[in-house]
Amino acid sequence: TLEQMLLDQVSKLAAKLDKDVTSLVGINEQITEENSNVHAQASEIDRCTLQLQEQASEQVRAWGVAAASVQANVRDMLAVNGGLADEVEGVSQTVVEASSALETQTAAWGESNKVVEEALVESIAKNEKTASDVVVMQAAVDESATMLQAETDQWRDSNHDVIEKLNGIVVEN
């Protein structure tokens, strides 16, 4: 009869609906578990991010201290080099004067003064090379500190984006 057919259809639909609801409850439980896992992972990422930021900050501070120390050493070396250059210039002048006076006395003294003058020129060249090397080292330290800061900023921004995405997934679920 029509009534029996309708009852059979309703019974089939009720059974299908019950099966679908049971399936949805299972899926919902899986989603809840995944959300819990994602939240735990996001918390771990936050903890690691903070730890890495602290380590990077400590490293930057340490490099800053090292750079300041190198700068102070460079300034001291340049001051010493300036003093040495003044002294060398003074000695050079004295050698020239003594050389002129001694040249008239003996050719051997003239040759000796020439050797001393060459040694002084070589010493000046070495001092200038040392000062140049120190300036190059300072530039390298400054460049390394700048690069480290840029990498730290990029890393922090990247981690921030990941955390925002994970938080979006947690909110959606």
Side-chain angles (χ1 to χ4, degrees):
T1 67
L2 180 61
E3 187 178 314
Q4 186 58 40
M5 284 176 51
L6 288 173
L7 284 175
D8 287 346
Q9 285 293 339
V10 168
S11 178
K12 286 179 184 176
L13 288 172
K16 185 176 186 312
L17 182 61
D18 186 47
K19 181 180 172 186
D20 289 346
V21 167
T22 302
S23 176
L24 287 173
V25 167
I27 291 170
N28 190 39
E29 288 173 356
Q30 288 176 347
I31 289 172
T32 301
E33 184 178 334
E34 286 298 318
N35 282 344
S36 177
N37 290 340
V38 166
H39 189 67
Q41 290 172 353
S43 294
E44 180 63 16
I45 288 172
D46 285 345
R47 186 190 67 73
C48 291
T49 298
L50 288 173
Q51 183 181 11
L52 288 171
Q53 285 173 338
E54 289 172 5
Q55 290 172 352
S57 292
E58 288 175 21
Q59 187 63 44
V60 168
R61 278 192 295 278
W63 284 5
V65 169
S69 176
V70 168
Q71 284 177 333
N73 288 342
V74 167
R75 281 191 295 273
D76 291 347
M77 292 172 104
L78 289 174
V80 167
N81 189 46
L84 288 174
D86 290 345
E87 287 180 32
V88 166
E89 188 176 322
V91 168
S92 241
Q93 185 61 36
T94 302
V95 167
V96 168
E97 291 168 2
S99 198
S100 177
L102 292 175
E103 261 180 31
T104 58
Q105 296 176 8
T106 173
W109 276 94
E111 189 63 29
S112 174
N113 285 337
K114 187 174 182 179
V115 170
V116 168
E117 189 173 333
E118 289 172 1
L120 288 174
V121 168
E122 183 179 326
S123 176
I124 290 170
K126 285 181 182 178
N127 284 341
E128 289 173 352
K129 170 97 173 80
T130 299
S132 173
D133 289 348
V134 167
V135 169
V136 169
M137 287 174 16
Q138 177 62 45
V141 167
D142 290 346
E143 183 179 330
S144 293
T146 301
M147 286 174 40
L148 177 64
Q149 184 62 49
E151 288 175 10
T152 299
D153 291 345
Q154 183 181 13
W155 179 84
R156 182 179 29 248
D157 292 345
S158 175
N159 283 339
H160 182 69
D161 292 344
V162 169
I163 290 169
E164 285 182 2
K165 286 178 184 175
L166 289 175
N167 285 337
I169 291 170
V170 170
V171 168
E172 287 176 10
N173 291 324

